[in-house]
Amino acid sequence: MITAVSDVPTLTRVHHDLLVPSFPREERGTLEELVAGTRDGSLHVWVAHSPGPSVPPSGGTPGPPAADDDLAGVAVVCTWPQAPHAALLGWLAVGGRERSRGVGAALLSHVLRQFEDSMMLAEIEPADGPIGDPVHGDPRARVRFYHRHGARRLALPYWQPATGPGTGPVQLDLVVLPAPGQRPPDRVPAGPVRELLEAYALAELPDPLAGPLEAASRGPHISTEPLMS
């Protein structure tokens, strides 16, 4: 079951149990930002619940029964009034024992349906990047997940803006996610991407990073590239 959440106790659990274990500090933001964003409508949070026992994907002995309100995964979508034609899947995380059971796919399908009239973008670590901390998972596994769901990398020199004090920009891939059942696009209209970059990234990045990114987003279209060969 997937439900929208905005109450502070559940958001606290989402941040502590799902986001902190899944993302390094410079990529995940703070609990306070998560709560504030849901209150002002800029962040939209959905959680997948996990009733019943946990069964390892390869078979074996089932784990202990899960509580009715166990959180199996979370998807957080970011929107901006200045970018009405695009949305950003800021975080998609699945609890360790729930991975490879279809939770991430279900959450992704859900948010794509919720924003079917918007271009859905997402930030992911490059497949060839270093694994900073194995606790946060393997970036290559995330790339394979998004590749299976038709995501393609935008041909942009993209950097995620700093998420808070003591953090800096992070070089990531900005990818576009096709709606369920649609063919991955070889290029996308530049307008929605540029709207999102102007609302979210360009003003927050230092000029040496913002300049090339802004220049690459000019023009009527932006080419896309496969995540994997």
Side-chain angles (χ1 to χ4, degrees):
M1 180 175 63
I2 295 174
T3 59
V5 297
S6 59
D7 63 285
V8 173
T10 303
L11 293 175
T12 301
R13 291 183 56 209
V14 162
H15 193 268
H16 181 270
D17 296 346
L18 295 171
L19 297 183
V20 169
S22 300
F23 298 97
R25 175 172 171 262
E26 61 270 19
E27 292 181 28
R28 67 173 176 255
T30 66
L31 171 61
E32 291 74 18
E33 291 168 331
L34 183 65
V35 172
T38 58
R39 286 177 173 170
D40 67 23
S42 61
L43 296 182
H44 313 265
V45 183
W46 287 272
V47 297
H49 301 270
S50 176
S54 174
V55 180
S58 58
T61 304
D68 289 341
D69 63 349
D70 267 8
L71 302 181
V74 63
V76 183
V77 175
C78 315
T79 59
W80 293 265
Q82 311 95 304
H85 304 105
L88 179 72
L89 177 58
W91 300 277
L92 178 65
V94 176
R97 72 179 186 180
E98 301 295 339
R99 291 174 186 164
S100 300
R101 299 181 66 188
V103 175
L107 281 165
L108 180 59
S109 178
H110 183 82
V111 299
L112 289 173
R113 289 195 303 271
Q114 296 295 316
F115 289 89
E116 61 184 0
D117 294 329
S118 299
M119 181 187 296
M120 182 62 71
L121 305 174
E123 301 165 319
I124 64 173
E125 295 171 292
D128 57 357
I131 301 176
D133 187 339
V135 170
H136 298 134
D138 184 351
R140 292 164 295 189
R142 291 194 181 106
V143 169
R144 289 193 296 269
F145 170 83
Y146 283 104
H147 177 72
R148 288 196 302 272
H149 291 279
R152 288 177 65 92
R153 180 190 304 109
L154 298 184
L156 296 172
Y158 183 74
W159 291 76
Q160 179 195 57
T163 57
T167 67
V170 179
Q171 190 169 21
L172 299 174
D173 284 337
L174 188 64
V175 305
V176 60
L177 291 154
Q182 291 191 4
R183 181 179 180 275
D186 295 328
R187 63 179 189 171
V188 298
V193 179
R194 202 160 43 243
E195 288 178 355
L196 187 141
L197 292 176
E198 290 172 352
Y200 166 54
L202 293 176
E204 303 299 325
L205 291 171
D207 289 344
L209 302 181
L213 178 58
E214 192 277 333
S217 67
R218 296 175 190 163
H221 295 93
I222 298 172
S223 298
T224 69
E225 306 163 346
L227 294 181
M228 301 176 65
S229 57

mmCIF file of all heavy atoms in Angstrom, residues 80 123 156-162 169 174 190-218:
data_model
loop_
_atom_site.group_PDB
_atom_site.id
_atom_site.type_symbol
_atom_site.label_atom_id
_atom_site.label_comp_id
_atom_site.label_asym_id
_atom_site.label_seq_id
_atom_site.Cartn_x
_atom_site.Cartn_y
_atom_site.Cartn_z
ATOM 1 N N TRP A 80 8.223 23.279 -7.919
ATOM 2 C CA TRP A 80 8.404 24.715 -7.755
ATOM 3 C C TRP A 80 7.348 25.443 -8.577
ATOM 4 O O TRP A 80 7.070 25.045 -9.724
ATOM 5 C CB TRP A 80 9.785 25.148 -8.249
ATOM 6 C CG TRP A 80 10.923 24.628 -7.441
ATOM 7 C CD1 TRP A 80 11.559 25.271 -6.407
ATOM 8 C CD2 TRP A 80 11.583 23.361 -7.583
ATOM 9 N NE1 TRP A 80 12.553 24.478 -5.904
ATOM 10 C CE2 TRP A 80 12.605 23.303 -6.592
ATOM 11 C CE3 TRP A 80 11.400 22.275 -8.432
ATOM 12 C CZ2 TRP A 80 13.437 22.199 -6.455
ATOM 13 C CZ3 TRP A 80 12.219 21.171 -8.293
ATOM 14 C CH2 TRP A 80 13.229 21.140 -7.322
ATOM 15 N N GLU A 123 17.790 12.924 -9.962
ATOM 16 C CA GLU A 123 19.237 13.006 -9.796
ATOM 17 C C GLU A 123 19.746 11.644 -9.327
ATOM 18 O O GLU A 123 19.233 11.099 -8.349
ATOM 19 C CB GLU A 123 19.602 14.052 -8.734
ATOM 20 C CG GLU A 123 19.104 15.453 -9.034
ATOM 21 C CD GLU A 123 19.155 16.359 -7.809
ATOM 22 O OE1 GLU A 123 18.808 15.880 -6.697
ATOM 23 O OE2 GLU A 123 19.526 17.528 -7.959
ATOM 24 N N LEU A 156 23.865 17.152 -20.038
ATOM 25 C CA LEU A 156 24.124 18.403 -19.316
ATOM 26 C C LEU A 156 25.253 18.182 -18.305
ATOM 27 O O LEU A 156 25.332 17.114 -17.690
ATOM 28 C CB LEU A 156 22.878 18.850 -18.541
ATOM 29 C CG LEU A 156 21.617 19.226 -19.318
ATOM 30 C CD1 LEU A 156 20.461 19.445 -18.347
ATOM 31 C CD2 LEU A 156 21.860 20.486 -20.140
ATOM 32 N N PRO A 157 26.090 19.185 -18.073
ATOM 33 C CA PRO A 157 27.100 19.101 -17.006
ATOM 34 C C PRO A 157 26.454 19.439 -15.660
ATOM 35 O O PRO A 157 26.563 20.555 -15.150
ATOM 36 C CB PRO A 157 28.144 20.140 -17.428
ATOM 37 C CG PRO A 157 27.339 21.189 -18.148
ATOM 38 C CD PRO A 157 26.216 20.441 -18.846
ATOM 39 N N TYR A 158 25.789 18.467 -15.070
ATOM 40 C CA TYR A 158 24.887 18.736 -13.945
ATOM 41 C C TYR A 158 25.583 18.596 -12.596
ATOM 42 O O TYR A 158 26.368 17.665 -12.368
ATOM 43 C CB TYR A 158 23.684 17.796 -13.995
ATOM 44 C CG TYR A 158 22.697 18.096 -12.898
ATOM 45 C CD1 TYR A 158 21.887 19.223 -12.969
ATOM 46 C CD2 TYR A 158 22.603 17.286 -11.769
ATOM 47 C CE1 TYR A 158 20.997 19.535 -11.959
ATOM 48 C CE2 TYR A 158 21.708 17.593 -10.752
ATOM 49 C CZ TYR A 158 20.913 18.718 -10.842
ATOM 50 O OH TYR A 158 20.045 19.020 -9.830
ATOM 51 N N TRP A 159 25.242 19.512 -11.698
ATOM 52 C CA TRP A 159 25.672 19.458 -10.304
ATOM 53 C C TRP A 159 24.451 19.704 -9.418
ATOM 54 O O TRP A 159 23.678 20.635 -9.663
ATOM 55 C CB TRP A 159 26.723 20.525 -10.003
ATOM 56 C CG TRP A 159 28.037 20.290 -10.665
ATOM 57 C CD1 TRP A 159 28.344 20.491 -11.991
ATOM 58 C CD2 TRP A 159 29.224 19.800 -10.044
ATOM 59 N NE1 TRP A 159 29.647 20.164 -12.230
ATOM 60 C CE2 TRP A 159 30.220 19.737 -11.055
ATOM 61 C CE3 TRP A 159 29.557 19.420 -8.739
ATOM 62 C CZ2 TRP A 159 31.522 19.304 -10.789
ATOM 63 C CZ3 TRP A 159 30.846 18.997 -8.472
ATOM 64 C CH2 TRP A 159 31.815 18.932 -9.498
ATOM 65 N N GLN A 160 24.297 18.887 -8.386
ATOM 66 C CA GLN A 160 23.256 19.135 -7.389
ATOM 67 C C GLN A 160 23.719 20.262 -6.475
ATOM 68 O O GLN A 160 24.851 20.245 -5.984
ATOM 69 C CB GLN A 160 23.018 17.883 -6.552
ATOM 70 C CG GLN A 160 21.957 18.056 -5.472
ATOM 71 C CD GLN A 160 21.997 16.936 -4.441
ATOM 72 O OE1 GLN A 160 23.025 16.704 -3.823
ATOM 73 N NE2 GLN A 160 20.899 16.241 -4.283
ATOM 74 N N PRO A 161 22.864 21.259 -6.238
ATOM 75 C CA PRO A 161 23.259 22.324 -5.315
ATOM 76 C C PRO A 161 23.499 21.788 -3.900
ATOM 77 O O PRO A 161 23.011 20.715 -3.536
ATOM 78 C CB PRO A 161 22.060 23.280 -5.340
ATOM 79 C CG PRO A 161 21.305 22.939 -6.572
ATOM 80 C CD PRO A 161 21.531 21.475 -6.813
ATOM 81 N N ALA A 162 24.252 22.536 -3.120
ATOM 82 C CA ALA A 162 24.479 22.167 -1.729
ATOM 83 C C ALA A 162 23.144 22.046 -1.009
ATOM 84 O O ALA A 162 22.230 22.850 -1.218
ATOM 85 C CB ALA A 162 25.348 23.212 -1.044
ATOM 86 N N PRO A 169 28.299 21.477 -3.651
ATOM 87 C CA PRO A 169 27.669 20.861 -4.823
ATOM 88 C C PRO A 169 28.188 19.446 -5.045
ATOM 89 O O PRO A 169 29.336 19.128 -4.734
ATOM 90 C CB PRO A 169 28.077 21.788 -5.977
ATOM 91 C CG PRO A 169 28.445 23.083 -5.326
ATOM 92 C CD PRO A 169 29.019 22.717 -3.988
ATOM 93 N N LEU A 174 21.595 14.057 -14.212
ATOM 94 C CA LEU A 174 20.188 14.450 -14.240
ATOM 95 C C LEU A 174 19.530 13.614 -15.334
ATOM 96 O O LEU A 174 19.956 13.647 -16.494
ATOM 97 C CB LEU A 174 20.040 15.935 -14.544
ATOM 98 C CG LEU A 174 18.625 16.510 -14.419
ATOM 99 C CD1 LEU A 174 18.130 16.429 -12.976
ATOM 100 C CD2 LEU A 174 18.594 17.961 -14.904
ATOM 101 N N ALA A 190 13.582 21.594 -24.102
ATOM 102 C CA ALA A 190 14.469 22.238 -23.135
ATOM 103 C C ALA A 190 13.707 23.129 -22.156
ATOM 104 O O ALA A 190 14.181 23.364 -21.033
ATOM 105 C CB ALA A 190 15.527 23.063 -23.863
ATOM 106 N N GLY A 191 12.538 23.618 -22.552
ATOM 107 C CA GLY A 191 11.822 24.579 -21.713
ATOM 108 C C GLY A 191 11.554 24.096 -20.296
ATOM 109 O O GLY A 191 11.916 24.783 -19.320
ATOM 110 N N PRO A 192 10.907 22.941 -20.100
ATOM 111 C CA PRO A 192 10.649 22.469 -18.736
ATOM 112 C C PRO A 192 11.929 22.232 -17.933
ATOM 113 O O PRO A 192 11.962 22.484 -16.730
ATOM 114 C CB PRO A 192 9.882 21.164 -18.959
ATOM 115 C CG PRO A 192 9.252 21.321 -20.303
ATOM 116 C CD PRO A 192 10.234 22.095 -21.115
ATOM 117 N N VAL A 193 12.964 21.722 -18.591
ATOM 118 C CA VAL A 193 14.233 21.502 -17.889
ATOM 119 C C VAL A 193 14.815 22.828 -17.431
ATOM 120 O O VAL A 193 15.271 22.973 -16.291
ATOM 121 C CB VAL A 193 15.234 20.762 -18.793
ATOM 122 C CG1 VAL A 193 16.570 20.563 -18.070
ATOM 123 C CG2 VAL A 193 14.671 19.426 -19.247
ATOM 124 N N ARG A 194 14.799 23.814 -18.320
ATOM 125 C CA ARG A 194 15.359 25.125 -17.984
ATOM 126 C C ARG A 194 14.570 25.769 -16.845
ATOM 127 O O ARG A 194 15.154 26.389 -15.941
ATOM 128 C CB ARG A 194 15.346 26.010 -19.235
ATOM 129 C CG ARG A 194 16.340 27.144 -19.190
ATOM 130 C CD ARG A 194 16.650 27.696 -20.583
ATOM 131 N NE ARG A 194 15.449 27.848 -21.403
ATOM 132 C CZ ARG A 194 15.242 27.176 -22.541
ATOM 133 N NH1 ARG A 194 16.134 26.319 -22.984
ATOM 134 N NH2 ARG A 194 14.136 27.374 -23.236
ATOM 135 N N GLU A 195 13.238 25.614 -16.866
ATOM 136 C CA GLU A 195 12.423 26.146 -15.764
ATOM 137 C C GLU A 195 12.872 25.554 -14.434
ATOM 138 O O GLU A 195 13.031 26.276 -13.429
ATOM 139 C CB GLU A 195 10.951 25.811 -15.988
ATOM 140 C CG GLU A 195 10.263 26.581 -17.085
ATOM 141 C CD GLU A 195 8.821 26.141 -17.277
ATOM 142 O OE1 GLU A 195 8.379 25.175 -16.618
ATOM 143 O OE2 GLU A 195 8.120 26.776 -18.091
ATOM 144 N N LEU A 196 13.055 24.246 -14.411
ATOM 145 C CA LEU A 196 13.444 23.595 -13.158
ATOM 146 C C LEU A 196 14.842 24.012 -12.726
ATOM 147 O O LEU A 196 15.084 24.284 -11.540
ATOM 148 C CB LEU A 196 13.352 22.081 -13.308
ATOM 149 C CG LEU A 196 13.560 21.278 -12.023
ATOM 150 C CD1 LEU A 196 12.608 20.092 -11.961
ATOM 151 C CD2 LEU A 196 14.999 20.781 -11.913
ATOM 152 N N LEU A 197 15.761 24.093 -13.671
ATOM 153 C CA LEU A 197 17.123 24.501 -13.322
ATOM 154 C C LEU A 197 17.149 25.925 -12.770
ATOM 155 O O LEU A 197 17.869 26.215 -11.803
ATOM 156 C CB LEU A 197 18.031 24.405 -14.551
ATOM 157 C CG LEU A 197 18.319 22.998 -15.080
ATOM 158 C CD1 LEU A 197 19.153 23.076 -16.350
ATOM 159 C CD2 LEU A 197 19.027 22.150 -14.023
ATOM 160 N N GLU A 198 16.363 26.806 -13.361
ATOM 161 C CA GLU A 198 16.326 28.186 -12.876
ATOM 162 C C GLU A 198 15.701 28.278 -11.489
ATOM 163 O O GLU A 198 16.121 29.076 -10.650
ATOM 164 C CB GLU A 198 15.563 29.061 -13.865
ATOM 165 C CG GLU A 198 16.308 29.271 -15.178
ATOM 166 C CD GLU A 198 15.471 29.976 -16.230
ATOM 167 O OE1 GLU A 198 14.249 30.172 -15.983
ATOM 168 O OE2 GLU A 198 16.024 30.330 -17.293
ATOM 169 N N ALA A 199 14.700 27.450 -11.227
ATOM 170 C CA ALA A 199 14.027 27.488 -9.926
ATOM 171 C C ALA A 199 14.857 26.821 -8.833
ATOM 172 O O ALA A 199 14.778 27.216 -7.669
ATOM 173 C CB ALA A 199 12.662 26.798 -10.030
ATOM 174 N N TYR A 200 15.641 25.827 -9.206
ATOM 175 C CA TYR A 200 16.267 24.956 -8.208
ATOM 176 C C TYR A 200 17.776 25.095 -8.109
ATOM 177 O O TYR A 200 18.331 25.181 -7.007
ATOM 178 C CB TYR A 200 15.905 23.512 -8.542
ATOM 179 C CG TYR A 200 16.701 22.441 -7.838
ATOM 180 C CD1 TYR A 200 16.805 22.410 -6.443
ATOM 181 C CD2 TYR A 200 17.320 21.424 -8.563
ATOM 182 C CE1 TYR A 200 17.526 21.404 -5.804
ATOM 183 C CE2 TYR A 200 18.026 20.416 -7.932
ATOM 184 C CZ TYR A 200 18.129 20.408 -6.557
ATOM 185 O OH TYR A 200 18.832 19.419 -5.921
ATOM 186 N N ALA A 201 18.461 25.134 -9.257
ATOM 187 C CA ALA A 201 19.897 24.903 -9.223
ATOM 188 C C ALA A 201 20.752 26.117 -9.569
ATOM 189 O O ALA A 201 21.744 26.392 -8.887
ATOM 190 C CB ALA A 201 20.249 23.743 -10.173
ATOM 191 N N LEU A 202 20.417 26.824 -10.631
ATOM 192 C CA LEU A 202 21.368 27.794 -11.183
ATOM 193 C C LEU A 202 21.756 28.880 -10.188
ATOM 194 O O LEU A 202 22.931 29.242 -10.079
ATOM 195 C CB LEU A 202 20.793 28.411 -12.461
ATOM 196 C CG LEU A 202 20.650 27.440 -13.637
ATOM 197 C CD1 LEU A 202 19.990 28.131 -14.826
ATOM 198 C CD2 LEU A 202 21.997 26.856 -14.026
ATOM 199 N N ALA A 203 20.792 29.398 -9.453
ATOM 200 C CA ALA A 203 21.103 30.478 -8.516
ATOM 201 C C ALA A 203 21.898 29.993 -7.307
ATOM 202 O O ALA A 203 22.542 30.800 -6.617
ATOM 203 C CB ALA A 203 19.818 31.158 -8.044
ATOM 204 N N GLU A 204 21.861 28.691 -7.036
ATOM 205 C CA GLU A 204 22.529 28.140 -5.861
ATOM 206 C C GLU A 204 23.941 27.632 -6.161
ATOM 207 O O GLU A 204 24.712 27.365 -5.246
ATOM 208 C CB GLU A 204 21.698 26.987 -5.285
ATOM 209 C CG GLU A 204 20.284 27.353 -4.904
ATOM 210 C CD GLU A 204 20.225 28.431 -3.830
ATOM 211 O OE1 GLU A 204 21.119 28.411 -2.950
ATOM 212 O OE2 GLU A 204 19.310 29.267 -3.872
ATOM 213 N N LEU A 205 24.262 27.471 -7.435
ATOM 214 C CA LEU A 205 25.571 26.942 -7.809
ATOM 215 C C LEU A 205 26.565 28.085 -8.025
ATOM 216 O O LEU A 205 26.189 29.172 -8.471
ATOM 217 C CB LEU A 205 25.463 26.124 -9.092
ATOM 218 C CG LEU A 205 24.714 24.797 -9.002
ATOM 219 C CD1 LEU A 205 24.501 24.224 -10.406
ATOM 220 C CD2 LEU A 205 25.448 23.799 -8.121
ATOM 221 N N PRO A 206 27.840 27.852 -7.754
ATOM 222 C CA PRO A 206 28.845 28.872 -8.078
ATOM 223 C C PRO A 206 28.921 29.079 -9.588
ATOM 224 O O PRO A 206 28.625 28.173 -10.373
ATOM 225 C CB PRO A 206 30.149 28.279 -7.514
ATOM 226 C CG PRO A 206 29.892 26.821 -7.377
ATOM 227 C CD PRO A 206 28.426 26.666 -7.113
ATOM 228 N N ASP A 207 29.336 30.263 -9.993
ATOM 229 C CA ASP A 207 29.335 30.616 -11.417
ATOM 230 C C ASP A 207 30.077 29.614 -12.307
ATOM 231 O O ASP A 207 29.604 29.312 -13.413
ATOM 232 C CB ASP A 207 29.922 32.017 -11.611
ATOM 233 C CG ASP A 207 28.980 33.105 -11.099
ATOM 234 O OD1 ASP A 207 27.785 32.806 -10.891
ATOM 235 O OD2 ASP A 207 29.439 34.241 -10.909
ATOM 236 N N PRO A 208 31.228 29.077 -11.881
ATOM 237 C CA PRO A 208 31.924 28.126 -12.769
ATOM 238 C C PRO A 208 31.127 26.863 -13.061
ATOM 239 O O PRO A 208 31.392 26.189 -14.058
ATOM 240 C CB PRO A 208 33.213 27.796 -11.992
ATOM 241 C CG PRO A 208 33.436 28.975 -11.108
ATOM 242 C CD PRO A 208 32.060 29.421 -10.707
ATOM 243 N N LEU A 209 30.168 26.532 -12.211
ATOM 244 C CA LEU A 209 29.308 25.373 -12.449
ATOM 245 C C LEU A 209 27.991 25.777 -13.092
ATOM 246 O O LEU A 209 27.477 25.078 -13.969
ATOM 247 C CB LEU A 209 29.034 24.631 -11.137
ATOM 248 C CG LEU A 209 30.248 24.118 -10.360
ATOM 249 C CD1 LEU A 209 29.797 23.393 -9.100
ATOM 250 C CD2 LEU A 209 31.110 23.209 -11.229
ATOM 251 N N ALA A 210 27.446 26.908 -12.667
ATOM 252 C CA ALA A 210 26.153 27.352 -13.192
ATOM 253 C C ALA A 210 26.258 27.776 -14.654
ATOM 254 O O ALA A 210 25.345 27.517 -15.441
ATOM 255 C CB ALA A 210 25.606 28.496 -12.355
ATOM 256 N N GLY A 211 27.360 28.416 -15.035
ATOM 257 C CA GLY A 211 27.497 28.923 -16.392
ATOM 258 C C GLY A 211 27.408 27.831 -17.457
ATOM 259 O O GLY A 211 26.576 27.916 -18.372
ATOM 260 N N PRO A 212 28.240 26.793 -17.370
ATOM 261 C CA PRO A 212 28.143 25.719 -18.371
ATOM 262 C C PRO A 212 26.790 25.002 -18.355
ATOM 263 O O PRO A 212 26.290 24.594 -19.404
ATOM 264 C CB PRO A 212 29.278 24.771 -17.977
ATOM 265 C CG PRO A 212 30.248 25.627 -17.225
ATOM 266 C CD PRO A 212 29.416 26.631 -16.504
ATOM 267 N N LEU A 213 26.193 24.856 -17.170
ATOM 268 C CA LEU A 213 24.896 24.190 -17.089
ATOM 269 C C LEU A 213 23.822 25.020 -17.773
ATOM 270 O O LEU A 213 22.994 24.500 -18.535
ATOM 271 C CB LEU A 213 24.544 23.936 -15.623
ATOM 272 C CG LEU A 213 23.195 23.278 -15.340
ATOM 273 C CD1 LEU A 213 23.084 21.931 -16.051
ATOM 274 C CD2 LEU A 213 23.005 23.098 -13.828
ATOM 275 N N GLU A 214 23.839 26.327 -17.525
ATOM 276 C CA GLU A 214 22.852 27.199 -18.160
ATOM 277 C C GLU A 214 23.030 27.216 -19.669
ATOM 278 O O GLU A 214 22.056 27.147 -20.437
ATOM 279 C CB GLU A 214 22.991 28.610 -17.581
ATOM 280 C CG GLU A 214 21.850 29.554 -17.937
ATOM 281 C CD GLU A 214 22.026 30.201 -19.316
ATOM 282 O OE1 GLU A 214 23.191 30.350 -19.756
ATOM 283 O OE2 GLU A 214 21.007 30.543 -19.949
ATOM 284 N N ALA A 215 24.288 27.268 -20.124
ATOM 285 C CA ALA A 215 24.551 27.304 -21.559
ATOM 286 C C ALA A 215 24.083 26.021 -22.239
ATOM 287 O O ALA A 215 23.527 26.055 -23.348
ATOM 288 C CB ALA A 215 26.047 27.526 -21.808
ATOM 289 N N ALA A 216 24.282 24.887 -21.583
ATOM 290 C CA ALA A 216 23.907 23.606 -22.180
ATOM 291 C C ALA A 216 22.399 23.411 -22.243
ATOM 292 O O ALA A 216 21.914 22.569 -23.009
ATOM 293 C CB ALA A 216 24.550 22.463 -21.396
ATOM 294 N N SER A 217 21.654 24.182 -21.443
ATOM 295 C CA SER A 217 20.190 24.029 -21.437
ATOM 296 C C SER A 217 19.498 24.988 -22.392
ATOM 297 O O SER A 217 18.271 24.991 -22.484
ATOM 298 C CB SER A 217 19.649 24.237 -20.015
ATOM 299 O OG SER A 217 19.829 25.584 -19.584
ATOM 300 N N ARG A 218 20.271 25.819 -23.097
ATOM 301 C CA ARG A 218 19.670 26.705 -24.091
ATOM 302 C C ARG A 218 19.264 25.898 -25.326
ATOM 303 O O ARG A 218 19.722 24.798 -25.549
ATOM 304 C CB ARG A 218 20.670 27.788 -24.498
ATOM 305 C CG ARG A 218 21.067 28.742 -23.376
ATOM 306 C CD ARG A 218 22.149 29.684 -23.861
ATOM 307 N NE ARG A 218 22.733 30.452 -22.755
ATOM 308 C CZ ARG A 218 23.892 31.092 -22.835
ATOM 309 N NH1 ARG A 218 24.595 31.049 -23.957
ATOM 310 N NH2 ARG A 218 24.351 31.761 -21.783
#
